Amino acid sequence: MKRLRWVVLAVVVVALIIVGIRIYTNVRWFEEVGYTRVYWMRLAAGWGLGIVAGIGFFFFLRFHFSFFLQVLVNYGPTNRERHNVIELAPSGALSPAVARRIAFWFSLVIAILLGISFAGNWPKLLQWLYATPFGESDPVFGHDVSFYMQVLPFWKAVLNYLNGVNLALAILLTIGYAVLGAWTRDELFSGERPLTKQATFHALLVWATFFGLQAIGIWLGRFGFLQSNNGTVLAGAGYTDIHARLPMQWVRLVFSAMIALFFVAMMRRGAWRRFILPAVGGYLVVLIITAIYPALLQQFSVTPNEATRERPYIARNIAWTRRAYDIDAVTTHAFPARNDLTYQDVTSETDVVRNIRLLDIQPAQEAFTQLEALRYYYSFTNPGSDNPSNLDMDRYPIGGKMTEVILAPRELDVSKIPAQGQTWVNLHERYTHGNGVVMAPVGQVTSTGDPVFIAHNIPVQSEIPITQPRIYYGEQTSEYVIANTKGGEFDAPSGEGTTTNHYEGTGGIPMTWYNRLFYSASEGTLRLLLSNDITAESRLMIHRVISDRVATIAPFLYYDRNPYMVIADGKLYWIQDAYTMGSGYPYATSESANSDLNYVRNSIKIVIDAYNGTVTFYQVDFKDPLATTYNHMYGGIFQPLDAMPAALRAHLRYPEDLFGIQTNMLNLYHMTDPMVFYNKEDAWTQANENYSGNVQRMLPYYAVVRLSGQPNAEFVLMQPFTPAPQGQTPLLNLTGWLAARSDPQHYGQLILYEMPKGILVPGPQTFERWIDADPGISQQFTLWNSGGSTVIRGNTLAIPVKDAILYVEPIYLRANGTSSIPEVRQVIVGYNEQVAMRPTLQEALAAVFGAKAPPSTSLEQQAPPAPTTTPTPEVTRLIQQAQQLFNQGQQALRNGDWSGYGQVQQQLQGVLQQLAQAAGGQANPAAQQQQTQQQHPAQQQAQGGR
């Protein structure tokens, strides 16, 4: 027994040491970032809630276990007059003292486990305690929305735990008493003996508690109808919920409470045998009736008259869903969709035309890597994340004019260091940081079709001054490092050698001897303690990945997948968008079928210093009650937006993740008339495009445009819409487009432009069909694809110009080979059924409008020459034959003739092979693969494609 005590004591001591080390190292890190109060609040809330819950569960469990064991002591194996009783312990082995100790320790262990588990609900507890009113009440119960978003979740968690523990206890005790022999036939019908009385008293107590908790659960469950979809056409309480399910909930609640009171009464009177079966049977009957009646009402009254019955509830769903996703603030305008745009109209929009994007993210990613990575250990990708590309769109004043650019940080990827070089010293002391950024305007390319770099090289050469280019905190900084060691840190390649640097910033934790001791234990290595290179001036940097860094400080926020880097006042900063989200907003539809989240706000912008790692949270939406609650919870963790330096505010962007959610909701919720909504008469979907031979959904894109009625061009996030597919043939006309404004004076404003209902406005895929139908473009694509290169059709951009929509698509050529990169070789412009492909954007615009292109300037696109080839007569004949076969295949697709389509494709493949040989090349596997990818989905399915 003494040995067991020493083992337990040793385990406790070790556990306390581990917890102490963890707390100490966490406190030091939170002190570094300046959010110690946040950590102590979380620690106090979690431990406090766990201790209180554990104490409550301990007394609850000890009472019941003590009662049961006392019965077992009194009526165990020594009670020989009983019949058919199992002896659970040797005679005299279970004394009252032993029973009390067993009850104590058993209850204590389970209570500790339950307390630790329940402690995870501390965020819900704090939200309840600091709940901020929304100022709007639900239309059914009249509660403020904060009740559903911040109060109800905690009490549901409490009830779930109580229900689970009590139900498990009720089942175990009932089985235990049955095994003990409390309710054998002789005990039940030959007279109630002491064992039966005590066992029955105890069982009735726990089952009375069960039904009492059920009654409370039914009462709380009523509020769940405001987020449910029980046979109604939309989320929220519908006709059947209001007129049948809610009244039936009251019936169930009353009957559950009556059963609980009945069990309590039977505990006192003891005459339970004749009433227990009728009571339980009656409860089951009530459950059946309360389930059948709403189903019958729905089937025979609501469904046949659904539009009429559900109309007011559809209206509620529309209004509350629009509020939940902040799309009720969308300003809607009619878009004239002019068809008389002139060349002078287009060229007068100099800021817009100059910033039309010719560089897509994926091709630019490859170009940046090949041309500016400079060493194998530098990277512009982040393969393990939801956002694998580190390239981002932003705008900067270049040459005195706002210019949209692609910017990427040059981060250090230690995983690319050769295996023999991945020593502890290299990973944690020497290779510590990235260096500089690469930036290029989106509307310019070189004479070879590559980006025009305005920030590049090491040391960085930039038109935007950068005085501190080093990146210690980023998206790929996964290893902890010790900066400012005696040996110095690798800084940059220099000729045949390298240069070193000593960190001089404020980031990291000073490596005093006691910090070295604790972090050696925390990181599981003695090198931090024993290394001679580490001094008291060295600084340990942990949580360097910015997504991990901000989430460690504020785990209650949701984070955008795409943080982006900006240059401000000569330094490099990351901006991370953060959201407040919830799942209890009344009458609001969930943002996806796989999520119950139905409320979102982009209330927080976070700025992270890439050199020092300082993290600053700014609240940009003071109308968001959840953000206000969090700010109160943690003693003012958020600063007002006015406190953000102007140089950083100039680079705020409307976040893509939020915009994607809002556009998804607007597919349906732009319709505000309940009957139009019910019939889905005007349902939309995000437009599609043909990217590199594949039809895919257009993602939101940043662009510089001048919105209708506005004096200047501005940086916006855009999304075009087309009609949602209703049958076999999708409609390709443009129905509208959404713009999210990002410039400081208009930040966050959403404008929805709707196309005229009476005319057909060509959509992005209509533009793609213009390209496919143009024989000159098709022949040129065929020739390039068969001549040792591959054509890549870039992203389609719908650019609003003077109340008209102009389509632009860059064309890339990639030479066959492992090290080749896509180069911009042509630009296609389309407007009003006219389409032209030319080497430069200016030439393409002039060709579409029948004008003469002006000479290029330094600020315009430096056009690459298009590959020129003089085809032989045989090549010309094969190109014409290939074009004819392609047209036949398209006609077969339109007719649904899959067999004919397959035969034409086989003939086309043979012609392409002949064309490749005639052109002096070989069959292009990439082109053949592209051709296969262009097959109609139904054709792919027929051939077993995926």
Side-chain angles (χ1 to χ4, degrees), residues 52-260:
V52 171
I55 292 173
F57 284 126
F58 170 75
F59 285 110
F60 179 78
L61 293 172
R62 187 183 181 189
F63 167 78
H64 287 289
F65 286 143
S66 296
F67 195 107
F68 176 77
L69 291 174
Q70 188 62 40
V71 174
L72 185 61
V73 169
N74 295 336
Y75 303 100
T78 57
N79 191 9
R80 300 299 183 185
E81 71 272 12
R82 293 185 298 119
H83 302 285
N84 302 321
V85 177
I86 299 175
E87 293 192 1
L88 300 180
S91 179
L94 189 63
S95 65
V98 172
R100 284 193 295 271
R101 284 197 296 270
I102 292 176
F104 176 87
W105 289 107
F106 193 60
S107 300
L108 180 63
V109 171
I110 296 179
I112 290 174
L113 296 177
L114 289 171
I116 293 173
S117 176
F118 191 73
N121 290 292
W122 65 264
K124 297 177 182 178
L125 171 66
L126 291 180
Q127 284 201 53
W128 168 51
L129 295 175
Y130 290 90
T132 302
F134 277 61
E136 50 188 4
S137 301
D138 77 87
V140 177
F141 301 105
H143 291 299
D144 188 88
V145 174
S146 62
F147 172 77
Y148 300 95
M149 300 285 289
Q150 301 174 91
V151 176
L152 196 58
F154 176 72
W155 289 111
K156 281 185 175 180
V158 172
L159 184 65
N160 288 337
Y161 267 81
L162 290 177
N163 259 326
V165 172
N166 188 78
L167 179 60
L169 191 65
I171 293 173
L172 290 175
L173 291 177
T174 302
I175 294 174
Y177 281 125
V179 170
L180 190 60
W183 300 304
T184 62
R185 183 177 181 84
D186 291 341
E187 295 279 5
L188 287 174
F189 296 103
S190 63
E192 292 190 4
R193 299 186 181 183
L195 172 60
T196 303
K197 288 182 178 180
Q198 294 191 19
T200 302
F201 175 88
H202 198 189
L204 288 172
L205 175 62
V206 293
W207 285 108
T209 306
F210 169 79
F211 282 103
L213 291 173
Q214 287 295 300
I216 297 174
I218 293 170
W219 185 81
L220 290 178
R222 298 176 308 129
F223 306 114
F225 283 109
L226 300 192
Q227 296 95 39
S228 67
N229 187 1
N230 297 308
T232 61
V233 294
L234 296 169
Y239 184 91
T240 303
D241 294 319
I242 297 297
H243 293 87
R245 292 192 178 94
L246 276 174
M248 291 300 98
Q249 286 290 92
W250 280 109
V251 173
R252 288 183 56 199
L253 187 153
V254 171
F255 208 86
S256 296
M258 290 174 59
I259 293 290

Side-chain angles (χ1 to χ4, degrees), residues 891-904:
Q891 184 62 44
L893 277 180
R894 287 190 288 269
N895 297 335
D897 182 7
W898 309 122
S899 175
Y901 178 79
Q903 294 174 4
V904 171

Side-chain angles (χ1 to χ4, degrees), residues 20 50 250 317 417 422 524 533 557 565 570 687 692 735 756 803 810 870:
W250 280 109
N317 174 262
I417 298 175
Q422 293 202 11
D533 282 340
L557 297 175
M565 176 164 278
S692 190
T735 56
D803 292 333
T870 303

Side-chain angles (χ1 to χ4, degrees), residues 310-591:
E310 300 289 6
R311 178 170 185 151
Y313 309 106
I314 294 173
R316 289 178 183 177
N317 174 262
I318 293 172
W320 285 77
T321 298
R322 287 171 62 87
R323 284 202 290 269
Y325 295 97
D326 205 23
I327 55 178
D328 63 327
V330 172
T331 303
T332 302
H333 293 291
F335 190 78
R338 291 175 51 192
N339 59 4
D340 59 349
L341 194 67
T342 66
Y343 183 65
Q344 289 72 25
D345 289 333
V346 176
T347 54
S348 67
E349 296 286 354
T350 54
D351 286 339
V352 174
V353 174
R354 184 170 47 84
N355 285 291
I356 290 178
R357 195 181 84 204
L358 304 179
L359 295 175
D360 294 339
I361 288 292
Q362 184 56 45
Q365 173 84 63
E366 298 183 49
F368 277 39
T369 300
Q370 289 284 346
L371 302 175
E372 280 296 322
L374 303 182
R375 293 293 188 272
Y376 57 83
Y377 39 72
Y378 287 128
S379 175
F380 300 108
T381 62
N382 193 14
S385 72
D386 293 333
N387 178 48
S389 173
N390 280 5
L391 276 64
D392 292 296
M393 302 291 181
D394 203 347
R395 69 285 196 198
Y396 286 84
I398 306 296
K401 297 181 179 180
M402 180 178 65
T403 303
E404 184 178 355
V405 301
I406 295 181
L407 184 147
R410 185 185 288 107
E411 292 203 62
L412 186 67
D413 185 355
V414 294
S415 68
K416 293 183 178 180
I417 298 175
Q420 63 271 22
Q422 293 202 11
T423 63
W424 188 89
V425 171
N426 279 343
L427 294 179
H428 300 287
E429 291 185 6
R430 182 162 175 78
Y431 291 92
T432 59
H433 59 275
N435 199 316
V437 299
V438 177
M439 183 164 61
V442 300
Q444 291 179 256
V445 293
T446 67
S447 59
T448 57
D450 295 325
V452 177
F453 294 114
I454 56 176
H456 61 128
N457 291 344
I458 301 177
V460 64
Q461 300 171 3
S462 175
E463 294 192 26
I464 306 297
I466 301 176
T467 57
Q468 181 49 266
R470 297 175 181 88
I471 303 170
Y472 282 84
Y473 300 86
E475 294 189 85
Q476 300 184 60
T477 46
S478 56
E479 298 286 346
Y480 70 86
V481 298
I482 304 95
N484 194 26
T485 57
K486 290 180 181 178
E489 308 151 45
F490 164 77
D491 194 44
S494 176
E496 296 183 358
T498 60
T499 60
T500 58
N501 175 69
H502 287 271
Y503 181 72
E504 297 177 349
T506 59
I509 300 163
M511 285 282 88
T512 58
W513 69 267
Y514 46 87
N515 283 340
R516 294 174 68 176
L517 175 64
F518 276 96
Y519 279 100
S520 291
S522 175
E523 299 298 333
T525 176
L526 291 176
R527 290 180 178 269
L528 290 175
L529 188 61
L530 302 178
S531 173
N532 292 325
D533 282 340
I534 300 175
T535 69
E537 285 72 37
S538 300
R539 306 184 78 87
L540 172 66
M541 298 179 178
I542 57 177
H543 296 300
R544 296 199 302 141
V545 175
I546 55 177
S547 59
D548 172 51
R549 194 169 185 83
V550 296
T552 302
I553 298 171
F556 45 86
L557 297 175
Y558 295 78
Y559 295 97
D560 194 273
R561 293 171 297 174
N562 188 22
Y564 59 99
M565 176 164 278
V566 302
I567 307 169
D569 297 327
K571 299 184 65 177
L572 302 181
Y573 298 90
W574 294 95
I575 295 182
Q576 170 74 69
D577 284 282
Y579 308 105
T580 59
M581 291 187 176
S583 57
Y585 204 86
Y587 274 104
T589 299
S590 297
E591 57 98 5

Side-chain angles (χ1 to χ4, degrees), residues 655-675:
E656 294 174 89
D657 283 355
L658 174 63
F659 192 72
I661 292 173
Q662 291 175 319
T663 54
N664 282 338
M665 302 310 297
L666 277 172
N667 285 335
L668 291 178
Y669 287 92
H670 70 276
M671 299 179 285
T672 55
D673 182 275
M675 289 301 95

